[in-house]
Amino acid sequence: MNFLIEAFQFIFDPANWGGSGGIGVRLVEHLWVSLLVVVIAAAIAIPVGFLIGHTGTGKSIAVIGSGGVRALPTLGLVTVIALSVGIGLTAPIIALVVLAIPSILAGAYSGFEAIDRRTIDAARAVGRTEWQIVTAVELPLGLPLLMGGLRSASLQVISTATLAAYVGGGGLGGFLFTGLRTNDYPQMLAGSILVIALALLSEGFFAILERVTVPAGVRAGLPTSVRARPSRSRATAA
Amino acid sequence: MIEFRSVTKKFPDGTVAVRDFDLVIPSRKTTVFVGSSGSGKTTLLRMINRMVDPTSGSISIDGEDTSTLEPVALRRRIGYVMQNSGLLPHFKVIENVATVPILNGVPRRRAHQEALTLLDTVGLDRSLADRYPSQLSGGQQQRVGVARGLAADPNILLMDEPFGAVDPIVRAELQVELIRLQRDLDKTVVFVTHDIDEAFLLGDQVVILETGGLIAQVGSPSEIMAAPTNEFVANFIGAERGKRALSIRSTGSGDILVDSSGRAAGILVAPTAPDAE
Ligand SMILES: Nc1ncnc2c1ncn2[C@@H]1O[C@H](COP(=O)(O)OP(=O)(O)O)[C@@H](O)[C@H]1O
Ligand SMILES: [Mg+2]
C-alpha cells in the first residue's frame, strides 16, 4: 500500500515531469512509438486482410502464420533484432509491428467474412465491380470488426512498448528498468501505472470507434432500434 | 429473345447442375422455370447475367453471345431480384433503388428523383425512402428489391423466388402487382419458383424442370394443364391427385366447382376479357 502511495507521489511530483528522462518526454515517446507501430502494422495487415476476406483464400496461411508469430517471445525478438540492427528504436519497432500484425489481420478479414454472403452476391449481381464491392459493401460493413482488431493490437503494443527502453529506445519502460536496477519499487510502480493509464485511454478510444463505425442501417436493425422499442415498452407495460 | 444452346454447367465439385439445356425465351413475355429444389433453376437464371458461366454451350441475348460481353456491363442492363431482397443494409431504401443508375453514371439527384417514382410504381409509400431495409417488413423489402431491379429500365428482369420468403397473403398481393407491372412495363421476365401455382399464375411460358436442368415440359399453362407429357409432369402439377380435375356440382345455393376429392375449389362465372378490371 505504501508503494502505491509513493508511486502516485512520484507521478504527481512536478519535478519528475521535466527533463529528458522525465514523465512528459517518456509519455510522448511511448505514445509516439505505439502510434508509429500500429500505423505500420495496419498499413501491412489491412490490405492483406482485405484481400483474404474478399477472395476467401489464404486464410489458413494467415491463421498458421499468426499463431507462429504470437508464440514468439517479444523480448527475445527485440534482443535478436537489436543484435543485428543495433541499439535504438528500430529493433523494438520491428518486434512490435510483428506483434501487432496478427490482431489487425484477423480484424480485417473477419470483418469481411462476417458479412452475409447473399448481400455480397447481390452487390455483384446488380453490376458492381470487385473494387466497388470492397469499397461500398465490405469496407463499411467490416469496419467495426477491423476497429476491434486495431483495439487489441494497440493494447498489446502499448503494454509491450515498455521493452523499447531495454535497448535504449526510450518510453515509459525507462521507469521500470531504472527502478529495477536501483530497487526503486515506487518508480517501477509509477511506470506501470502510467502504462496502464495509456492502455485504458486506448481501450476507451477504440471502444468508441467500434461503436460509431457500425453503419446506421445495421444499427437500426439491432434490438435497440426505433422499431423494436415500442414492442419492448408494450411488453413491460403488460 | 434469350436463347440457351446445349448449355451444360458442371461445378468444380463435380455437380452437374444443368445438362445439355436448350430453350428459347421469347421477348416481352414471362417465362417461369419451375421445379423442385436442386433442379438447376437458379443456375440457369444466373447464367443469363453471367453470375455463373456455362461449362459448355452458349447463351445469347438478342443474337449476341453473352460470353463476348463484359459481365459487369451485362449485369447493369439486366434487372435481378432475389429471394432475400439482397438490399444493402447500410444503404437507405432510396439509395438501394438508385444503385444501378448511379453505377451507370446518372447524376445522384436525378437517380434519386427517378427512384422515388419507382417507389410509386411498386406500390411503396415515398415516406419509406429514407428508411433502412432493416426497418421494413419482408414484403416491403421485396418491393424495394423489385424497384431496384427496374431502376435501370432493363429489357430483361431476372427473378429468383422473389416471393418465396413472404407470407401467403403478401405473396398473393405481390403476384398480382407483378402481373400489373408486367402489363404496363412489357419486360422480358424470367422467373424462378418451386411453386407450380405461382408458375401457372405468372407464366406465359412455363418450363418444368427435373434434376439436372432436364426439361420435363415447356408450354403455356393451359397446354401443360390440358396435356401433361408424362407422369412426372402430371405428378408435379397435381393432376394425379385430382387437384386440377374440377367438375361442376349443383348445390342448393348454386353451382360450384369441386376437385376429384369433392372439395370446393371455386365457382363458375362467365368469361371476362383479360384486360377488364
Ligand atoms: N456453386 C456451386 N457449387 C457446387 N454445386 C452447386 C453450386 N451451385 C449450385 N450447385 C448444385 O447444383 C444443383 C442445382 O442448384 P440450383 O441451380 O441452385 O438449383 P435450384 O435453384 O433449382 O434449387 C444443386 O445440386 C446444387 O447443390
Ligand atoms: Mg434456387
Side-chain angles (χ1 to χ4, degrees):
Chain A
M1 209 56 221
N2 240 352
F3 285 153
L4 195 60
I5 292 166
E6 285 178 49
F8 278 109
Q9 278 168 349
F10 182 92
I11 292 171
F12 291 116
D13 183 351
N16 290 331
W17 278 78
S20 64
I23 294 176
V25 168
R26 286 186 172 170
L27 254 182
V28 170
E29 278 172 353
H30 201 98
L31 257 182
W32 164 242
V33 168
S34 303
L35 187 70
L36 190 67
V37 164
V38 172
V39 167
I40 294 173
I44 298 167
I46 292 177
V48 176
F50 282 178
L51 194 68
I52 293 171
H54 179 73
T55 59
T57 55
K59 193 191 159 193
S60 47
I61 298 172
V63 170
I64 294 168
S66 297
V69 164
R70 280 184 166 133
L72 286 176
T74 306
L75 181 59
L77 196 59
V78 170
T79 315
V80 168
I81 300 172
L83 285 177
S84 61
V85 303
I87 292 292
L89 264 182
T90 316
I93 285 180
I94 295 174
L96 290 171
V97 165
V98 169
L99 177 76
I101 283 177
S103 305
I104 303 177
L105 190 66
Y109 70 68
S110 59
F112 279 24
E113 265 180 357
I115 302 166
D116 190 335
R117 289 302 100 187
R118 295 173 303 182
T119 303
I120 291 168
D121 184 77
R124 190 171 287 124
V126 300
R128 276 192 177 81
T129 62
E130 295 307 303
W131 179 248
Q132 287 167 337
I133 291 172
V134 172
T135 56
V137 184
E138 292 175 319
L139 189 60
L141 292 175
L143 214 47
L145 280 179
L146 174 62
M147 290 303 147
L150 286 169
R151 176 180 177 170
S152 44
S154 298
L155 184 65
Q156 282 173 296
V157 168
I158 287 172
S159 50
T160 318
T162 45
L163 294 182
Y166 181 68
V167 289
L172 293 169
F175 297 118
L176 297 178
F177 290 109
T178 311
L180 191 63
R181 255 197 329 271
T182 60
N183 281 342
D184 184 352
Y185 298 121
Q187 186 178 155
M188 284 182 76
L189 202 51
S192 311
I193 290 169
L194 290 168
V195 172
I196 291 169
L198 275 191
L200 288 178
L201 277 179
S202 148
E203 281 291 282
F205 174 69
F206 281 106
I208 292 169
L209 275 188
E210 270 182 69
R211 281 186 146 263
V212 299
T213 51
V214 175
V218 176
R219 212 176 308 131
L222 298 176
T224 49
S225 77
V226 192
R227 211 160 57 91
R229 210 174 290 137
S231 68
R232 203 158 23 131
S233 57
R234 232 180 288 130
T236 37
Chain B
M1 187 180 78
I2 304 168
E3 193 173 0
F4 287 81
R5 255 174 270 123
S6 49
V7 169
T8 295
K9 177 62 193 181
K10 185 176 177 183
F11 283 106
D13 68 356
T15 312
V16 181
V18 173
R19 194 190 300 276
D20 204 21
F21 184 85
D22 286 286
L23 183 74
V24 171
I25 296 174
S27 295
R28 297 170 193 286
K29 295 264 183 279
T30 300
T31 293
V32 179
F33 290 138
V34 59
S36 41
S37 177
S39 55
K41 309 180 294 289
T42 296
T43 304
L44 283 168
L45 195 74
R46 288 163 71 88
M47 284 196 282
I48 297 173
N49 66 353
R50 292 200 58 189
M51 283 297 284
V52 172
D53 278 324
T55 313
S56 64
S58 70
I59 295 148
S60 62
I61 297 175
D62 296 330
E64 223 176 351
D65 189 335
T66 56
S67 68
T68 65
L69 302 173
E70 214 278 308
V72 169
L74 178 70
R75 289 170 201 153
R76 286 183 190 175
R77 61 180 178 93
I78 296 179
Y80 190 65
V81 185
M82 60 220 87
Q83 177 166 358
N84 70 316
S85 83
L87 301 173
L88 293 186
H90 58 305
F91 276 32
K92 290 176 176 171
V93 165
I94 193 79
E95 295 164 339
N96 267 294
V97 175
T99 294
V100 187
I102 288 173
L103 289 175
N104 282 334
V106 174
R108 182 167 234 96
R109 271 185 62 134
R110 206 179 90 212
H112 280 202
Q113 211 56 47
E114 288 167 2
L116 282 176
T117 320
L118 272 168
L119 292 186
D120 302 339
T121 309
V122 299
L124 280 174
D125 199 282
R126 287 185 178 208
S127 67
L128 300 179
D130 285 327
R131 296 247 191 118
Y132 288 101
S134 58
Q135 298 170 314
L136 303 182
S137 71
Q140 286 170 331
Q141 288 183 26
Q142 285 311 125
R143 285 173 194 264
V144 177
V146 174
R148 182 183 61 182
L150 293 171
D153 196 19
N155 292 326
I156 299 170
L157 189 59
L158 308 179
M159 308 184 85
D160 193 352
E161 310 214 20
F163 311 143
V166 296
D167 66 68
I169 294 173
V170 177
R171 187 182 314 145
E173 237 172 65
L174 292 171
Q175 288 166 342
V176 171
E177 296 245 1
L178 182 62
I179 293 169
R180 174 185 66 80
L181 270 179
Q182 171 60 352
R183 208 167 47 209
D184 296 347
L185 300 175
D186 225 17
K187 307 276 180 203
T188 304
V189 177
V190 187
F191 192 103
V192 161
T193 179
H194 59 259
D195 176 354
I196 185 66
D197 292 319
E198 186 170 64
F200 282 161
L201 178 67
L202 300 175
D204 298 306
Q205 168 173 267
V206 173
V207 183
I208 299 181
L209 296 169
E210 290 182 56
T211 309
L214 198 73
I215 297 183
Q217 189 168 2
V218 183
S220 68
S222 48
E223 283 163 1
I224 294 174
M225 261 186 279
T229 43
N230 55 35
E231 204 169 315
F232 175 85
V233 175
N235 235 324
F236 195 78
I237 68 173
E240 295 273 284
R241 281 169 285 128
K243 194 174 140 205
R244 309 221 176 252
L246 306 181
S247 53
I248 302 172
R249 183 197 289 168
S250 301
T251 69
S253 40
D255 289 350
I256 63 162
L257 288 173
V258 293
D259 65 17
S260 63
S261 46
R263 265 191 291 268
I267 56 166
L268 203 57
V269 295
T272 51
D275 272 339
E277 288 283 10

